[in-house]
């Protein structure tokens, strides 16, 4: 009987390994293949949190200065990220096609740091299956799809907010957006980002895995907009 029990456990273990391998190979068949993904995540970073955290770390590099100078940024675009239902591709072309400086400059109103724009193209844009100009046009269209609640456009004082309350505010002003298509991320105390899932044609899209990685704090701090 002990021998049979050992054999049974061994066979079960082999079965689990084989099933895992099959699942991995199914993912690997399109892993990092440009254009082969399920949906996008539009990531909107709360710029005052980014700048406050950078200051605490002593990070005053040129990229940080570009975003964290005197201009009153609120939500800025971190990126538009191709996603699988489980996991995501990245760096789908090595080396990546060089991004034209004129395209980078044209995006500074939404993504106020040149280094961020170049990195987003290398890491995420190359996975979209789009050319450089079309990818950044998609970012602009995706951003235009999402309305920011008015109370967060000119935040003049620190605000403490529950992540659920923030999601509800976005859902209220964006018809068709549900709480299964939006998540809030945070660091140890501050709001970091609002992430909204969009289909390839930039319609709101349910994304359970993104929601599972959401902030679990009861409340988060939103530092005020600079100059507010």
């Amino acid at each position: 009987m002990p021998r049979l029990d050992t054999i049974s456990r061994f066979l079960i273990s082999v079965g689990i390994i084989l099933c895992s391998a099959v699942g991995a190979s199914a993912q690997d068949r399109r892993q990092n293949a440009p254009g082969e993904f399920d949906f996008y995540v539009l990531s909107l970073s709360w710029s005052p949190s980014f700048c406050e955290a950078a200051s605490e770390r002593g990070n005053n590099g040129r990229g940080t200065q570009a975003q964290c100078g005197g201009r009153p940024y609120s939500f800025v675009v971190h990126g538009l990220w191709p996603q699988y239902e489980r996991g995501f591709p990245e760096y789908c072309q090595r080396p990546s096609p060089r991004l034209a400086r004129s395209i980078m400059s044209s995006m500074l109103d939404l993504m106020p740091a040149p280094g961020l724009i170049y990195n987003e193209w290398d890491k995420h844009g190359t996975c979209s299956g789009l050319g450089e100009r079309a990818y950044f046009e998609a970012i602009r269209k995706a951003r235009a799809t999402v309305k920011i609640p008015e109370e967060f456009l000119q935040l003049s004082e620190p605000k403490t907010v529950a992540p659920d309350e923030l999601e509800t505010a976005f859902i209220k002003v964006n018809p068709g957006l549900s709480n299964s298509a939006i998540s809030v991320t945070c660091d140890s105390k501050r709001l970091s980002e609002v992430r909204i899932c969009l289909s390839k044609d930039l319609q709101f899209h349910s994304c359970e895995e993104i929601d599972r990685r959401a902030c679990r704090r009861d409340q988060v701090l939103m530092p005020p907009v600079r100059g507010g």
Side-chain angles (χ1 to χ4, degrees):
M1 182 64 68
R3 177 176 171 78
L4 287 174
D5 187 54
T6 300
I7 292 172
S8 296
R9 288 201 300 269
F10 173 76
L11 291 174
I12 291 170
S13 298
V14 169
I16 291 172
I17 292 169
L18 288 174
C19 287
S20 299
V22 169
S25 64
Q27 173 90 341
D28 289 347
R29 278 197 293 272
R30 60 174 187 168
Q31 183 71 34
N32 296 337
E36 297 294 323
F37 63 96
D38 297 315
F39 63 95
Y40 287 114
V41 167
L42 174 67
S43 181
L44 301 175
S45 171
W46 182 247
S47 184
S49 291
F50 168 80
C51 294
E52 196 171 275
S55 177
E56 290 173 357
R57 294 193 304 268
N59 180 1
N60 295 309
R62 290 180 61 188
T64 302
Q65 291 174 4
Q67 181 172 340
C68 303
R71 293 191 64 180
Y73 292 114
S74 53
F75 280 106
V76 300
V77 175
H78 182 174
L80 183 67
W81 306 334
Q83 301 281 305
Y84 305 130
E85 293 297 343
R86 291 179 177 270
F88 53 89
E90 59 182 5
Y91 298 108
C92 294
Q93 296 184 60
R94 290 181 181 270
S96 62
R98 185 172 178 82
L99 179 63
R101 184 176 181 83
S102 61
I103 295 177
M104 180 279 292
S105 298
S106 74
M107 295 302 297
L108 288 172
D109 61 322
L110 297 184
M111 308 170 73
L116 168 65
I117 296 169
Y118 285 119
N119 181 72
E120 290 302 298
W121 167 246
D122 292 346
K123 186 174 182 179
H124 302 290
T126 57
C127 297
S128 68
L130 302 173
E132 55 183 22
R133 189 170 299 278
Y135 173 67
F136 285 100
E137 286 176 355
I139 290 180
R140 192 167 291 279
K141 289 176 182 177
R143 174 61 186 84
T145 296
V146 178
K147 184 176 182 180
I148 305 296
E150 187 173 348
E151 59 264 39
F152 303 122
L153 291 176
Q154 299 292 334
L155 191 64
S156 59
E157 297 180 354
K159 182 180 180 66
T160 300
V161 61
D164 286 349
E165 180 184 342
L166 188 61
E167 288 188 11
T168 298
F170 269 81
I171 291 169
K172 184 177 180 179
V173 297
N174 288 280
L177 179 63
S178 68
N179 55 15
S180 65
I182 181 173
S183 71
V184 171
T185 68
C186 60
D187 62 15
S188 60
K189 58 183 178 181
R190 288 177 289 251
L191 168 71
S192 296
E193 297 182 345
V194 172
R195 295 177 177 176
I196 296 174
C197 299
L198 301 167
S199 63
K200 286 186 175 184
D201 60 355
L202 304 182
Q203 303 298 309
F204 296 126
H205 178 87
S206 179
C207 50
E208 293 182 3
E209 183 178 3
I210 303 302
D211 195 47
R212 283 197 293 268
R213 298 200 295 268
C215 177
R216 300 305 178 196
R217 297 189 175 279
D218 292 333
Q219 292 188 317
V220 292
L221 174 67
M222 296 180 70
V225 172
R226 287 172 176 259

